[in-house]
Amino acid sequence: RFNAKIHAFLSERGIPGSVIYHNTYSDEKANDKNIFAQVNYNQPISKKWQFQANAKANQTSLRDWGLNLNSQYRQHEYYLNATLLYTLSEKCSFSWANDAIRSDIQSRFNISNNEVFAARNTWLSSLAGKYETERLTATARLLYQQTAEENFAYSHLSPYLALSMKVFQSLSARIFYKNTYRIPTFGDIYYPSIPNLNLKAENARQFNLGTTWDTGFAQKRGRFSLSADVYFNRIDNKIISQPHYSMIIWTSVNYGKVDIKGVDFRMDAMFQLKKNFSVEANVNYTCQDVRDKTTEINYQHYNAHLPLTPRHIANSSASLQTPWFNFHYNWMYSGARYTNQSNLFDYWLKPYSEHGFSLSYPFVYHKISGQIALECLNLWNTQYNVIPNYPMPGRSFRLGIKMTY
């Protein structure tokens, strides 16, 4: 099998400024251009061996400009992947994947009249194995990551272990350990007018324990499932980004040690009312405690909540599918959070929720199939802030058409 895709995105938009008394004007604008081409090739070699290759070339540019601002960024990325899958038996398989990535960035700032150029080479190699039976699934993976730039180099070995077991016909349990190593992006380092070359890589160790209850209704009239997960993450040099002087340009910093404790709940339901009528619904809820555990001498924010990290997050959706139209309704909620390391009331940001819906009409005309969709965002015109002093847009509508030949 061979697949190819070409994508282009161009936009010019005004960037809202912060809310300041007696000033409602913002002259900041952003021009975005993103063009990429990618191909995928999949070739079975034999009954036990299968080969897959991917390649991608991407160019992204951003111009952030206004009366006293004119910053330009241009990035290139070239990506090549090759994966080999070996199926030992119906229960056991192994894979070996290798990724090579070449990327560069060129930025120019009118404020400091500086030009920055940086190039990065990244190599990823992953060896994975999977053993699966009717009641048991075990997965293991070892990922080696190496990245080199002129100013620094990173290398890391990340393990992953997961075990899932079907306790009963409708009840399953799972547990996993995962190590994630996140290297600062070009945006983290080079988008500020003064590059942050001291930004360190983020190293996270994640532990998760969960269970799922999944059952069907009589005569295949629908399904219902409940799942719950408890997790604990310990992160060294966690990268946190916040807006600096613009909503486009954010500043990233490291937090020495961060602990995250949380629980996730999810509910999914599907009911088949008649032959061509069905209803689907899902609910997601997360309760998490994200604390700064940095213990450096004279560090005043030990055990404080991290900025812009709410304790409660929830979202839900419901949809109705009919032969004539499809209707979808969604709701999301974000709890209160602090905007500063100092957990004082002056930096408290109140919770918010948002509702929206979409109405779509599928059609077929000769050899063309398509869909017309009308979408409403922020249905009740709620006024809220995700970032302090930057109100989010009110009610808006969007119309989309998709056709396939």
Side-chain angles (χ1 to χ4, degrees):
R1 294 197 305 269
F2 179 83
N3 298 302
K5 180 178 180 179
I6 298 176
H7 172 87
F9 174 81
L10 310 173
S11 79
E12 179 178 323
R13 52 203 167 99
I15 306 302
S18 59
V19 175
I20 303 173
Y21 283 114
H22 310 299
N23 178 30
T24 60
Y25 177 70
S26 174
D27 66 350
E28 185 181 1
K29 293 181 175 60
N31 289 9
D32 297 279
K33 296 179 182 179
N34 176 233
I35 301 174
F36 73 78
Q38 65 183 30
V39 294
N40 167 265
Y41 176 72
N42 193 310
Q43 175 65 57
I45 301 174
S46 66
K47 292 183 178 181
K48 292 184 177 293
W49 293 92
Q50 187 167 327
F51 174 77
Q52 178 176 266
N54 299 278
K56 180 178 180 179
N58 180 64
Q59 176 181 298
T60 302
S61 65
L62 167 67
R63 182 189 176 201
D64 181 29
W65 57 286
L67 184 62
N68 299 307
L69 175 68
N70 188 8
S71 301
Q72 300 179 48
Y73 310 86
R74 184 184 295 271
Q75 296 185 52
H76 299 90
E77 184 178 89
Y78 306 95
Y79 167 85
L80 185 62
N81 158 269
T83 303
L84 198 60
L85 174 65
Y86 174 67
T87 304
L88 180 63
S89 65
E90 293 182 356
K91 299 178 180 179
C92 188
S93 61
F94 299 92
S95 67
W96 183 35
N98 292 277
D99 297 6
I101 307 168
R102 166 71 179 187
S103 51
D104 62 65
I105 182 173
Q106 183 177 7
S107 57
R108 180 180 299 172
F109 312 94
N110 74 320
I111 297 176
S112 56
N113 200 28
N114 287 340
E115 289 192 12
V116 174
F117 178 82
R120 174 181 294 185
N121 295 315
T122 301
W123 176 264
L124 304 172
S125 186
S126 171
L127 184 63
K130 182 178 181 180
Y131 179 79
E132 184 175 14
T133 66
E134 185 178 351
R135 298 191 60 179
L136 178 70
T137 301
T139 306
R141 182 176 66 243
L142 197 60
L143 171 66
Y144 176 70
Q145 181 175 356
Q146 183 175 5
T147 299
E149 287 189 33
E150 182 180 356
N151 298 306
F152 45 76
Y154 301 98
S155 63
H156 190 77
L157 197 62
S158 301
Y160 169 79
L161 296 169
L163 183 67
S164 176
M165 178 181 296
K166 183 176 289 187
V167 183
F168 304 110
Q169 184 62 30
S170 301
L171 183 66
S172 62
R174 59 187 171 273
I175 185 172
F176 75 76
Y177 166 78
K178 183 179 182 180
N179 177 233
T180 303
Y181 191 71
R182 179 196 162 192
I183 296 173
T185 65
F186 281 154
D188 294 330
I189 300 175
Y190 298 108
Y191 270 40
S193 56
I194 301 177
N196 186 3
L197 300 178
N198 295 319
L199 202 62
K200 300 176 182 178
E202 178 182 295
N203 189 10
R205 295 173 294 280
Q206 307 170 49
F207 304 87
N208 190 96
L209 179 65
T211 182
T212 297
W213 179 61
D214 189 348
T215 184
F217 296 107
Q219 298 178 351
K220 298 182 179 180
R221 303 290 292 184
R223 297 200 66 83
F224 181 81
S225 69
L226 284 172
S227 66
D229 287 86
V230 180
Y231 58 88
F232 172 72
N233 300 342
R234 171 148 290 179
I235 307 173
D236 294 330
N237 301 316
K238 182 170 178 59
I239 299 174
I240 295 290
S241 300
Q242 291 183 269
H244 182 43
Y245 58 86
S246 165
M247 287 298 291
I248 295 294
I249 309 302
W250 288 39
T251 298
S252 299
V253 297
N254 285 121
Y255 284 72
K257 290 186 182 297
V258 172
D259 283 355
I260 303 177
K261 302 174 185 177
V263 292
D264 289 341
F265 296 97
R266 180 180 177 89
M267 183 276 289
D268 291 279
M270 190 279 288
F271 303 95
Q272 193 74 37
L273 304 178
K274 291 183 180 180
K275 182 178 180 180
N276 295 318
F277 292 81
S278 63
V279 175
E280 296 184 20
N282 67 74
V283 178
N284 296 276
Y285 170 71
T286 295
C287 178
Q288 61 179 1
D289 186 65
V290 186
R291 301 275 183 169
D292 187 350
K293 296 293 184 177
T294 306
T295 56
E296 294 179 359
I297 299 176
N298 299 324
Y299 189 72
Q300 302 175 357
H301 304 292
Y302 177 80
N303 212 38
H305 287 274
L306 255 62
L308 303 179
T309 54
R311 182 184 290 269
H312 303 282
I313 304 171
N315 64 78
S316 65
S317 66
S319 61
L320 171 65
Q321 297 182 2
T322 75
W324 311 285
F325 66 88
N326 298 323
F327 178 78
H328 182 82
Y329 193 90
N330 60 80
W331 167 81
M332 59 86 65
Y333 170 84
S334 178
R337 57 242 182 263
Y338 293 100
T339 63
N340 191 284
Q341 290 174 275
S342 301
N343 293 172
L344 303 176
F345 183 77
D346 292 343
Y347 304 113
W348 185 81
L349 207 57
K350 65 180 182 179
Y352 66 88
S353 64
E354 183 181 320
H355 299 253
F357 76 87
S358 65
L359 188 65
S360 61
Y361 168 72
F363 66 89
V364 177
Y365 180 75
H366 295 296
K367 295 183 179 181
I368 298 176
S369 61
Q371 179 177 270
I372 301 175
L374 173 65
E375 185 178 4
C376 177
L377 309 175
N378 197 355
L379 175 62
W380 306 116
N381 202 30
T382 305
Q383 302 298 308
Y384 66 93
N385 291 10
V386 176
I387 303 298
N389 303 320
Y390 285 89
M392 295 298 292
R395 184 187 300 111
S396 61
F397 294 90
R398 186 161 55 191
L399 180 66
I401 301 175
K402 179 181 180 180
M403 292 184 291
T404 303
Y405 177 77

